[in-house]
Structures are given as C-alpha cells and as structure tokens.
C-alpha cells in the first residue's frame, strides 16, 4: 500500500493558477500509474489527468485539456498537477490516486487514494 497526501489547494480567482502536489510514502510511485480526480458536491468523481509509470504518456479530461498539466518526479516520489486558467467549474475536492493498470476513465481500478485537497475558484 502506498500512502498519498495532496497539498496546494486553496481559493483562487477565475483565470488564476494553482499547483497541486501529491506526496507518496510507503512505496515508490515508480511502481504505479498516477492519477488526479475531482469530485464536487452532488457530482460523480471523475478523472482529471493521469500519467503512466514512466511519465511518457498522459490522459486529460476534455474539460481541462490545454489548461492542466500533470507531471511526476519519481526521484521525489511526488506527482504534480499544474492548473492554469481556472474556472469556477473547476471547484472541487481534488484527489490523487495510484493504479496498476492504465485505464484513466475507470476510477475503480485505482487502489490507493489520498484524502483530497479543496480547490475553490471564485468568479
């Protein structure tokens, strides 16, 4: 089991930027594909961005393409989500997760999850 802790969330005005971090412990993240998901009240959890083990292949939800960038630093055991041009619709709890298969749309395949960090975008 890998333990995941998200940080970097907060309140930002529409059009602004945030960088989220996901720090892992217990296991090396080089063993896993890593994903960012988000969930707003009354809405289903959905994948935002996923990066494979090596870091040479990524998936992005259509709603964030061109605005968000996922990256990883396996030496630091950390995954990042750079969020630019934020919109109020991006407001949600953002969660980091680890999986052993690269199926970004299927959150049930992600076996270890962080507690989440709140991102609030004001208009």
């Amino acid at each position: 089991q890998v333990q995941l802790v998200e940080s970097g969330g907060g309140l930002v005005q529409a059009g602004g930027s945030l960088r989220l971090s996901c720090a892992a412990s217990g296991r090396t993240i080089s063993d896993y594909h890593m994903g960012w998901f988000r969930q707003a009240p009354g809405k289903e959890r959905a994948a935002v961005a996923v990066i494979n083990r090596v870091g040479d292949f990524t998936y992005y939800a259509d709603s964030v393409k061109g605005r968000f960038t996922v990256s990883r630093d396996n030496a630091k055991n950390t995954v990042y989500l750079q969020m630019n041009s934020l919109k109020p619709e991006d407001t949600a709890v953002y969660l980091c997760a680890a999986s052993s298969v690269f199926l970004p749309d299927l959150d049930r395949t992600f076996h270890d999850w962080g507690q989440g960090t709140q991102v609030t975008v004001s208009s």
Side-chain angles (χ1 to χ4, degrees), residues 14-121:
S17 298
L18 285 173
R19 189 182 74 158
L20 306 183
S21 297
C22 174
S25 61
R27 299 287 301 274
T28 174
I29 63 167
S30 64
D31 291 336
Y32 308 108
H33 311 291
M34 300 296 296
W36 287 97
F37 296 76
R38 66 186 182 187
Q39 187 167 29
K43 191 174 181 180
E44 294 183 357
R45 185 172 61 194
V48 175
V50 182
I51 187 166
N52 73 336
R53 290 188 180 96
V54 176
D56 62 351
F57 191 82
T58 56
Y59 160 87
Y60 295 97
D62 288 343
S63 59
V64 307
K65 283 184 178 178
R67 300 189 297 121
F68 291 10
T69 303
V70 62
S71 62
R72 67 192 298 160
D73 188 337
N74 287 350
K76 295 182 178 179
N77 229 25
T78 302
V79 183
Y80 305 95
L81 183 67
Q82 179 67 46
M83 306 186 295
N84 299 325
S85 301
L86 283 162
K87 304 174 181 179
E89 305 94 277
D90 297 318
T91 295
V93 173
Y94 283 72
L95 304 103
C96 178
S99 75
S100 298
V101 293
F102 194 71
L103 296 170
D105 290 334
L106 300 177
D107 58 356
R108 62 181 173 85
T109 66
F110 287 76
H111 47 77
D112 291 314
W113 294 79
Q115 293 297 111
T117 185
Q118 177 71 44
V119 171
T120 303
V121 184

